[in-house]
Amino acid sequence: MHKLEIAGRPREPDTPETLGFRPLYRQVKAIFVRRLMDGVWAPGAVLPSEGQLAAEIGVSQGTVRKALDELAAENLVVRRQGRGTFVAEHDERRILFQFFKLAPDQGAPRFPDSVVLSVTTGPADDTERTALDLQEAAPIIRIRRQRSFDGAPLIVETVSLPQALFPGLESGPIPNNLYSLYAGHYGITIANARERLKAVALSAEDAAALGAAAGGPALQIDRIALSLDGTPVEHRLSLCLTEEVHYLSDLR
């Protein structure tokens, strides 16, 4: 049992992250994030009740509730009325609304299909080293794939991953839902991502993968995905045709 300091009483820190002069609920949140990172709470698992967690850690239920509210706002846990709080899973619904921002001009948003074009390994290039904070010549796995709506090519993308974090990934089947693979097989949860958007002209190679004309316009999405502790774990460069789709961002 791990106790935090309350009203001046000494505490036994759960992790180094709980040290310092942060609000108590932030210290509790750090404990919960560490449990997610360590796999103590697996994707889809139901969490103990707020009362149980409060008694275990030695804080009030209100403090636990505030910590869980922040995790829910960050899409790391899911509140289900009458059922409890669950660890979020990288299912298609979550990825569709949190990480996939292209939506058809007509009809409801949906998750695209994918075809893997190639999987290769090699030393990181300058762009990958910078994006993923890697040492020179660090080994990288590169997944190149085409994504489509109803059979019509929409995206060609290259996903770059540190081989040290995803050993053996290049040898197995590559699913459409990569983030679920990261969490389920490697214990790496994508917590958030940073994206840069830019209009570009398609190269001959990318145009061929999309069935488009070389030099034609495309939306380039340059994404760095971060794990729970803020470590960059994926660099994804996507080139998107936008004749029948748009980029939708819900600003709150």
Side-chain angles (χ1 to χ4, degrees):
M1 181 179 295
H2 303 284
K3 297 290 185 182
L4 292 177
E5 182 178 4
I6 304 173
R9 296 201 304 269
R11 69 186 179 193
E12 298 174 11
D14 186 281
T15 69
E17 286 78 10
T18 63
L19 298 174
F21 296 96
R22 290 175 296 169
L24 189 58
Y25 79 92
R26 286 285 175 86
Q27 298 180 44
V28 173
K29 178 187 174 185
I31 292 174
F32 294 165
V33 169
R34 174 54 60 185
R35 292 180 182 182
L36 294 172
M37 292 176 61
D38 291 344
V40 176
W41 291 344
V46 61
L47 272 57
S49 70
E50 291 178 358
Q52 290 173 309
L53 290 170
E56 175 194 346
I57 299 172
V59 296
S60 70
Q61 282 190 232
T63 297
V64 167
R65 185 175 303 116
K66 194 168 183 179
L68 291 176
D69 285 344
E70 282 211 355
L71 293 180
E74 295 169 7
N75 298 299
L76 297 178
V77 300
V78 178
R79 306 275 206 174
R80 293 176 181 160
Q81 186 67 33
R83 297 178 58 193
T85 302
F86 295 76
V87 179
E89 298 181 88
H90 278 299
D91 56 19
E92 289 192 1
R93 176 177 173 80
R94 179 185 175 195
I95 291 178
L96 179 61
F97 292 103
Q98 185 179 358
F99 294 109
F100 188 75
K101 298 297 185 180
L102 289 181
D105 292 340
Q106 304 294 328
R110 60 190 188 273
F111 203 57
D113 298 320
S114 297
V115 174
V116 175
L117 302 176
S118 65
V119 181
T120 59
T121 60
D125 61 25
D126 290 343
T127 298
E128 292 164 334
R129 284 198 302 273
T130 300
L132 297 171
D133 193 21
L134 297 174
Q135 298 295 319
E136 187 173 354
I140 284 287
I141 301 169
R142 297 185 187 92
I143 302 167
R144 184 169 168 82
R145 62 182 184 170
Q146 179 207 75
R147 313 191 78 182
S148 61
F149 279 159
D150 302 323
L154 172 69
I155 303 166
V156 61
E157 66 184 9
T158 300
V159 180
S160 300
L161 305 166
Q163 196 169 27
L165 294 179
F166 300 95
L169 185 148
E170 71 278 10
S171 301
I174 305 296
N176 190 17
N177 186 340
L178 285 175
Y179 288 2
S180 179
L181 174 69
Y182 302 166
H185 289 267
Y186 296 97
I188 296 175
T189 295
I190 301 301
N192 53 71
R194 297 193 298 262
E195 291 188 338
R196 296 185 301 173
L197 278 62
K198 187 176 183 179
V200 298
L202 288 170
S203 68
E205 180 184 9
D206 292 329
L210 290 168
L219 175 67
Q220 177 180 281
I221 304 175
D222 189 331
R223 173 191 294 180
I224 300 174
L226 309 173
S227 65
L228 287 166
D229 64 356
T231 299
V233 297
E234 178 201 79
H235 178 237
R236 182 180 302 212
L237 190 67
S238 304
L239 295 166
C240 317
L241 301 180
T242 58
E243 287 89 345
E244 298 181 5
V245 301
H246 57 275
Y247 187 94
L248 177 63
S249 180
D250 186 7
L251 303 178
R252 298 178 186 271

